[in-house]
C-alpha cells in the first residue's frame, strides 16, 4: 500500500495573551506502515475548544501542556481506512483524541466506535460529544430540577446551548447571555430559552436583574469575571453555581482579582461546584443513551459553525475568543 501523508498542526511557541497565527505551524508527515493491532484513521472533523488555550501554557494543570513542535491533541471524528485488528474495519466511524491532523495510526483502546447513521457526524464533537456531556454533567452536578430559574453565560456556544435545552426539557426557566443579537435570537427561537440578552448591550448585572427580577436559583458559568459577579448578586438564598469555565480570563497575561461581591456566598449560603467533564467518563453510556435519545427524537438541536480545511483550524480556534461561533465550532476535513 502507498505511504500515507498527513498534514498536522504544531504549537511552536507558547502564546502570551491571545494566541496569534505565528504560534502555530502546519507541517506534513509521512505515517509509518501499519503494524499488528493498529488502525489507520482519516479524520473527518476536528474539534477546537477553549480549554486548549490552557494547554498552550507551560505549567501544572489538570491536563499536561501541549508539547512544542508536536501535533496537538484534541477531539476528532474519523473513518477507519485500514485495520489490523478484529475490533475495527475500514469504513467504521470512530472518535479519538487525535485531533489537529488529517490521518493517524492508533491502537484500538484509543478509539471509540460511533454510529455512522447519525447526521452530521460532527455531532459527536458537540451535542453528543465532550461539550454535550459537559452540559449534561453540569446540570447533574448543580442538582438542577424542575422549576429552577437557571442563568447560563456563554449560552450560544457548544456547552451553553445544550445546557439550556436540557434544562428546558427538565422544566426549568432558562435565561442566557451571548455576544450578539443573532445569538440572542438563536437562543430564543431555536433553543427555546425563556429569555436571552446581548451582554455587549449593557452591564450584565443590570440586564440579568431585568430578566430575572426575582433572582435565579442556579448559575451555569462558562465565562467568569463580570458574569460571575452579576450572578452572585442575582442568586437567591441557597442558590448553586456550576463552575464550568471562565473564558473571559483565558488570555489574561496576569490573573485578575476575583469577584468583588464574593461575600454573597456567605450571606446567601450559596454552593459553588467545580465541574470537570473528565470526572464523568464512567457515566458516558448513560449520557449517550439519554442525550442521544433526545437528539434522535428531535428534542435537542445540534447547532454548529463549520470551518473547512485543516489549514484553517487555527483561525477556527482563535474565532472562539472572538465569538465567531454559534453552537459548536468544528473543522471539516476532506
Ligand atoms: N469544565 C469542563 O469540563 C469543561 C468542558 C468543556 C468546556 N468547558 C468550558 O465551557 C465554556 C464554554 O465552552 P464551549 O466549548 O461551549 O465554547 P463556546 O461557548 O462554544 O465558544 C466560546 C464562546 O465564548 C464566548 N466568549 C469568548 N470570549 C469571551 C469573553 N471574553 N467574554 C465573554 N464571552 C466570551 C464567545 O461567545 P459570545 O459571542 O457570546 O461572546 C464564544 O463563542 C468554556 O469556558 C470552556 O472552557 C469546560
Amino acid at each position: 500500500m502507498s505511504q500515507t501523508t498527513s498534514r498536522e498542526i504544531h504549537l511552536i511557541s507558547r502564546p502570551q495573551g491571545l494566541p496569534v497565527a505565528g504560534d502555530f505551524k502546519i507541517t506534513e508527515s509521512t505515517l509509518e506502515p501499519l503494524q499488528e493491532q493498529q488502525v489507520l484513521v482519516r479524520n473527518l472533523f476536528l474539534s477546537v475548544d477553549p480549554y486548549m488555550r490552557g494547554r498552550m501554557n507551560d505549567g501544572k494543570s489538570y491536563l499536561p501542556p501541549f508539547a512544542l513542535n508536536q501535533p496537538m491533541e484534541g477531539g476528532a471524528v474519523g473513518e477507519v481506512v485500514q485495520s489490523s485488528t478484529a475490533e475495527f474495519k475500514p469504513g467504521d466511524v470512530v472518535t479519538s483524541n487525535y485531533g489537529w491532523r488529517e490521518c493517524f495510526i492508533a491502537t484500538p483502546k484509543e478509539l471509540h466506535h460511533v454510529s455512522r447513521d447519525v447526521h452530521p457526524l460532527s455531532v459527536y464533537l458537540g451535542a453528543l460529544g465532550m461539550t454535550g456531556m459537559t452540559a449534561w454533567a453540569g446540570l447533574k452536578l448543580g442538582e438542577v430540577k424542575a422549576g429552577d430559574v437557571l442563568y447560563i453565560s456563554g449560552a450560544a456556544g457548544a456547552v451553553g446551548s445544550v445546557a439550556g435545552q436540557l434544562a428546558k426539557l427538565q422544566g426549568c426557566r432558562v435565561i442566557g447571555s451571548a455576544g450578539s443579537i443573532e445569538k440572542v435570537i438563536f437562543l430564543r427561537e431555536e433553543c427555546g430559552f425563556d429569555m436571552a440578552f446581548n451582554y455587549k448591550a449593557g452591564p450584565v448585572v443590570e440586564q440579568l436583574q431585568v430578566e430575572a427580577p426575582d433572582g435565579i436559583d442556579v448559575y451555569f458559568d462558562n465565562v467568569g469575571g463580570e458574569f460571575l459577579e452579576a450572578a452572585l448578586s442575582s442568586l437567591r438564598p441557597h442558590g448553586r453555581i456550576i463552575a464550568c469555565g471562565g473564558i473571559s480570563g483565558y488570555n489574561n497575561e496576569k490573573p485578575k482579582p476575583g469577584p468583588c461581591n464574593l461575600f454573597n456566598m456567605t450571606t446567601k449560603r450559596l454552593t459553588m461546584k467545580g465541574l470537570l467533564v473528565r470526572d464523568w467518563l464512567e457515566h458516558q453510556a448513560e449520557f449517550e443513551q439519554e442525550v442521544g435519545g433526545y437528539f434522535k427524537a428531535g428534542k435537542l438541536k445540534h447547532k454548529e459553525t463549520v470551518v473547512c480545511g485543516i489549514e484553517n483550524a487555527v483561525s477556527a480556534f482563535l474565532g472562539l475568543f472572538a465569538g465567531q461561533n454559534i453552537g459548536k465550532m468544528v473543522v471539516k476535513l476532506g
Side-chain angles (χ1 to χ4, degrees), residues 116-134:
R116 71 172 310 132
D117 300 332
V118 168
H119 183 78
L121 288 170
S122 47
V123 75
Y124 290 115
L125 301 177
L128 303 188
M130 185 276 282
T131 54
M133 189 155 164
T134 304

Side-chain angles (χ1 to χ4, degrees), residues 47-52 62 130-135 153-161 177-180 183 198-200 220-224 227 243-251 274-280 319-329:
S47 185
V48 289
D49 295 276
Y51 81 86
M52 293 169 170
Y62 68 100
M130 185 276 282
T131 54
M133 189 155 164
T134 304
S153 59
V159 174
S161 61
S177 60
S180 71
K183 291 185 180 188
N198 174 5
Y199 70 82
K200 292 180 180 162
F220 197 119
D221 190 13
N222 289 315
V223 179
F227 297 78
C244 174
I247 194 167
S248 66
Y250 290 176
N251 291 308
L275 168 68
L276 272 189
V277 66
R278 55 194 311 212
D279 294 344
W280 290 74
L320 294 169
F321 300 98
Q324 286 169 0
N325 58 310
I326 302 191
K328 179 77 187 93
M329 182 76 101

Side-chain angles (χ1 to χ4, degrees), residues 6-225:
S6 171
R7 286 183 297 166
E8 55 196 36
I9 309 280
H10 293 191
L11 182 70
I12 58 167
S13 55
R14 304 224 174 265
Q16 303 296 316
L18 185 68
V20 294
D23 293 323
F24 306 87
K25 188 173 81 175
I26 185 162
T27 67
E28 188 168 287
S29 69
T30 303
L31 272 54
E32 297 290 326
L34 208 65
Q35 306 289 313
E36 275 305 300
Q37 288 303 307
Q38 287 188 330
V39 186
L40 171 64
V41 179
R42 184 173 296 282
N43 275 331
L44 304 170
F45 293 97
L46 311 179
S47 185
V48 289
D49 295 276
Y51 81 86
M52 293 169 170
R53 175 64 188 88
R55 294 197 68 187
M56 291 170 191
N57 296 334
D58 217 352
K60 202 164 181 271
S61 185
Y62 68 100
L63 287 172
F66 286 127
L68 292 181
N69 303 304
Q70 296 290 328
M72 289 187 291
E73 295 155 0
V77 179
E79 185 176 40
V80 173
V81 177
Q82 199 190 344
S83 170
S84 61
T85 73
E87 296 100 312
F88 294 94
K89 59 178 189 320
D92 285 353
V93 178
V94 294
T95 55
S96 77
N97 202 33
Y98 279 95
W100 295 92
R101 69 200 85 192
E102 291 176 313
C103 297
F104 63 91
I105 289 172
T107 57
K109 67 174 179 4
E110 295 172 305
L111 304 174
H112 179 67
H113 268 291
V114 291
S115 165
R116 71 172 310 132
D117 300 332
V118 168
H119 183 78
L121 288 170
S122 47
V123 75
Y124 290 115
L125 301 177
L128 303 188
M130 185 276 282
T131 54
M133 189 155 164
T134 304
W136 176 83
L139 298 181
K140 291 206 177 302
L141 186 74
E143 296 172 29
V144 170
K145 55 184 190 313
D148 279 342
V149 178
L150 180 80
Y151 165 51
I152 305 174
S153 59
V159 174
S161 61
V162 172
Q165 292 182 73
L166 293 179
K168 282 305 297 172
L169 286 165
Q170 287 181 26
C172 299
R173 179 174 162 76
V174 180
I175 301 161
S177 60
S180 71
I181 290 290
E182 188 192 2
K183 291 185 180 188
V184 165
I185 293 170
F186 161 67
L187 293 173
R188 294 287 307 274
E189 296 187 358
E190 293 189 48
C191 297
F193 280 49
D194 297 284
M195 301 304 295
F197 62 88
N198 174 5
Y199 70 82
K200 292 180 180 162
V204 179
V205 68
E206 288 174 19
Q207 297 199 71
L208 183 57
Q209 189 73 44
V210 169
E211 303 304 351
D214 299 324
I216 60 174
D217 299 296
V218 183
Y219 172 47
F220 197 119
D221 190 13
N222 289 315
V223 179

